[in-house]
């Protein structure tokens, strides 16, 4: 029994592709009698025609690979495309560096290891990029006698 026209009509009514239309094989005769969209709607209400679930796309492999990336696997030179600055922008590096230095200076000032004027001077030097990291900033404070070595 050819139900292709009914299947097409049902697909249109249900808003899916014709491959996702299920027609009850025991009610095929009744479905074959349906000639209008209204007939198809009635059969859908009776449950003789149904919409099948769509085919999903598994995220299992994606989850596994993202878990591996979290463990820093598969992130070597061969996997990288784009410039060095595209993956780790120089501005972001600068922001992180300056924030760390400012936090260090703030802690030293609050602990009263350095006075306000020293704090301001080294704050400005840090902003100007005088120190590549907190270690060098600390060494500069030690060299000027504001901090003692640990």
């Amino acid at each position: 029994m050819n139900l292709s026209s009914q299947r097409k009509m049902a697909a249109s009514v249900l808003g899916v592709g014709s491959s996702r239309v299920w027609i009850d094989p025991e009610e095929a005769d009744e479905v074959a009698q349906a000639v209008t969209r209204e007939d198809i709607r009635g059969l859908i209400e009776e449950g003789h025609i149904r919409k099948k679930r769509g085919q999903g796309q598994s995220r299992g492999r994606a989850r596994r690979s993202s878990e591996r990336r979290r463990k820093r696997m598969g992130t070597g030179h061969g996997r990288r495309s784009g410039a060095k600055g595209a993956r780790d922008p120089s501005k972001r590096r600068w922001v992180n560096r300056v924030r760390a230095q400012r936090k260090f200076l703030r802690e030293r000032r609050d602990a009263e290891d350095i006075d306000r004027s020293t704090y301001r001077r080294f704050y400005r030097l840090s902003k100007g990029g005088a120190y590549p990291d907190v270690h060098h900033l600390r060494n500069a404070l030690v060299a000027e006698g504001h901090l003692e070595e640990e």
Side-chain angles (χ1 to χ4, degrees), residues 48-97:
H48 302 319
I49 297 177
R50 272 187 248 148
K51 180 168 40 171
K52 286 186 199 169
R53 270 186 63 181
Q55 175 66 52
Q57 189 169 356
S58 171
R59 292 245 346 128
R61 287 180 302 280
R63 272 194 294 274
R64 189 161 57 245
S65 55
S66 67
E67 180 62 35
R68 282 176 61 79
R69 273 194 294 277
R70 235 176 276 134
K71 293 177 180 177
R72 307 286 288 265
M73 292 172 170
T75 58
H77 292 298
R79 276 284 180 186
R80 297 175 198 175
S81 61
K84 176 183 168 191
R87 291 175 72 92
D88 189 13
S90 56
K91 180 169 181 178
R92 175 52 48 194
R93 280 203 311 271
W94 185 85
V95 166
N96 290 340
R97 184 167 68 235

Side-chain angles (χ1 to χ4, degrees), residues 95-112:
V95 166
N96 290 340
R97 184 167 68 235
V98 168
R99 281 180 181 171
Q101 291 174 12
R102 287 176 177 176
K103 183 182 177 186
F104 173 75
L105 285 169
R106 207 166 34 249
E107 287 168 355
R108 297 285 57 86
R109 183 197 63 195
D110 293 345
E112 295 179 2

Side-chain angles (χ1 to χ4, degrees), residues 105-136:
L105 285 169
R106 207 166 34 249
E107 287 168 355
R108 297 285 57 86
R109 183 197 63 195
D110 293 345
E112 295 179 2
D113 295 338
I114 58 173
D115 60 354
R116 282 178 58 215
S117 62
T118 306
Y119 167 81
R120 287 312 314 168
R121 190 160 58 82
F122 278 91
Y123 188 98
R124 283 197 306 274
L125 282 165
S126 172
K127 179 181 179 176
Y131 309 109
D133 51 42
V134 175
H135 184 72
H136 284 83

